[in-house]
Structure formats: structure tokens, C-alpha cells
Amino acid sequence: MAYVLFISEQKLKDSTAINLSVDTDLLLPYIRQSQKLYVEPKLGTDLTDKLKADITAGTLAGAYKTLVDDYIGDMLPNWAFYHAIPFLRFKIENGNIYSKTSETGTALSTEEAQHLREEVRNTSEYYTERMIDYVCNNTSSFPEYSTNSGSDVSPDPNAYYNGMNLERPMKQGTKLTLRNFLNAGI
């Protein structure tokens, strides 16, 4: 199946602070990357494939169209922008990396760029949570959400990531855990 994007380059530019003069060829990899990193893990392989098939066939309708237009369409541009930010001021050509400069402005410091990325990430996570809530509250409209098996990616209902794993521990059984090393004398 050919690669299908859930949003257009224009949607990305209309939904974020990306200037209209930014080359769309520069942005496409970040849309694709974000779709793979954030849409499929949240919707699962089966629902993602269903959406791609409907878009390709031109039959996207009903709850599926609402999901793509109103929820993925808000979430995906922000994640693509988040991933594009570090590379918007650099150009990679013939094995060299160039830093672009502007005559009308000054470049952001690393701290300012990191702050901007965090703000974009917060927005992205908010829209991701809204998308997950929409699907979970309308599971009867999305039977593919619960049919993943084998090597399929199963949906992850968590929208936020804070760098720490807060899941409940499973029964240890015969597996070694960090607790075995911290309590070595016991």
C-alpha cells in the first residue's frame, strides 16, 4: 500500500506557526514520522489501516471522517511541527550541514528553542488526549480499535509521557527486577 498521509502540508502550515514560505518537501518527512510515532500507537494498526484504505478509496465518511478531520487533523500537525523545529534552521546537502541565517531576525538560543518545543509538545499531547477520548467514547463506531493481534500495534490510551514509567508492577515471578539489586542482602 502506498504511503497515505492523514493531513496535507497546507493543513500543517494552517494549524501551526510554520511560515507559508517553508518548503513543503522539508515538512513531509515530519508528517510521516509523526503519523507513525503518534497516530498508529494510539489507534492501533487495524484502525490506522482502515483509515488509510478509506482515504485511498475516497470512501472516508461518518465517524471515520470526523476522526481524521477533527481529531487527527488537530493532533498530527502539532506533532509534525514538534519534530520539525530542530531542523528548520539547518540544511543538509551533499554530506554537509549548513545553518541558515536571516537578515531580518536573530536565531533562537538552544534554551528558547527547547521552550518552544515543550509548548508545542504540550499542545500535541492535549490534542492526542482528545483523539483518544473520542475513539474510546465511540468504540462502537470503530470496531477496528479492538481487533489488533499478533505483530499489530495495539492502541495505547495514554496521551502524556513524562519520562517516567508509572505503570503498576506485574507479579515478579522468576524475573529479575531493580528491587533484586537494591535489596541484595535480603
Side-chain angles (χ1 to χ4, degrees):
M1 177 183 281
Y3 202 82
V4 177
L5 296 177
F6 292 142
I7 61 167
S8 66
E9 303 90 0
Q10 191 60 45
K11 175 70 174 171
L12 175 63
K13 289 180 178 183
D14 290 346
S15 300
T16 63
I18 295 176
N19 189 302
L20 293 175
S21 65
V22 174
D23 185 10
T24 56
D25 289 341
L26 176 69
L27 301 174
L28 283 175
Y30 300 105
I31 297 172
R32 183 177 181 198
Q33 180 183 47
S34 298
Q35 187 168 306
K36 205 68 169 140
L37 290 172
Y38 303 103
V39 176
E40 186 172 2
K42 301 306 176 191
L43 298 180
T45 300
D46 290 348
L47 181 53
T48 302
D49 288 348
K50 163 73 169 147
L51 295 173
K52 288 178 184 179
D54 285 359
I55 290 169
T56 302
T59 58
L60 190 68
Y64 296 104
K65 182 166 178 46
T66 301
L67 175 61
V68 170
D69 292 347
D70 297 343
Y71 294 93
I72 295 173
D74 287 338
M75 177 197 81
L76 191 54
N78 286 288
W79 280 118
F81 183 36
Y82 173 79
H83 284 282
I85 288 172
F87 301 99
L88 289 175
R89 79 189 238 198
F90 297 104
K91 185 174 186 178
I92 302 171
E93 282 184 349
N94 298 327
N96 291 313
I97 300 174
Y98 303 96
S99 177
K100 296 186 255 180
T101 58
S102 171
E103 296 176 9
T104 59
T106 57
L108 292 178
S109 68
T110 303
E111 294 81 22
E112 291 170 324
Q114 192 59 35
H115 177 71
L116 174 63
R117 281 191 89 208
E118 278 306 308
E119 289 302 319
V120 173
R121 181 184 185 100
N122 291 340
T123 302
S124 302
E125 288 176 339
Y126 168 76
Y127 285 123
T128 301
E129 181 177 35
R130 287 197 36 154
M131 180 192 71
I132 292 168
D133 287 347
Y134 173 71
V135 173
C136 289
N137 289 322
N138 295 286
T139 53
S140 62
S141 299
F142 305 107
E144 302 83 4
Y145 186 70
S146 58
T147 61
N148 298 287
S149 62
S151 64
D152 291 345
V153 175
S154 294
D156 176 9
N158 300 312
Y160 295 95
Y161 178 73
N162 64 1
M164 293 173 48
N165 184 357
L166 300 176
E167 293 178 7
R168 291 182 171 188
M170 298 175 65
K171 291 185 179 181
Q172 183 178 349
T174 59
K175 296 180 184 176
L176 287 177
T177 66
L178 182 58
R179 186 167 304 175
N180 295 105
F181 296 99
L182 296 175
N183 299 327
I186 296 178

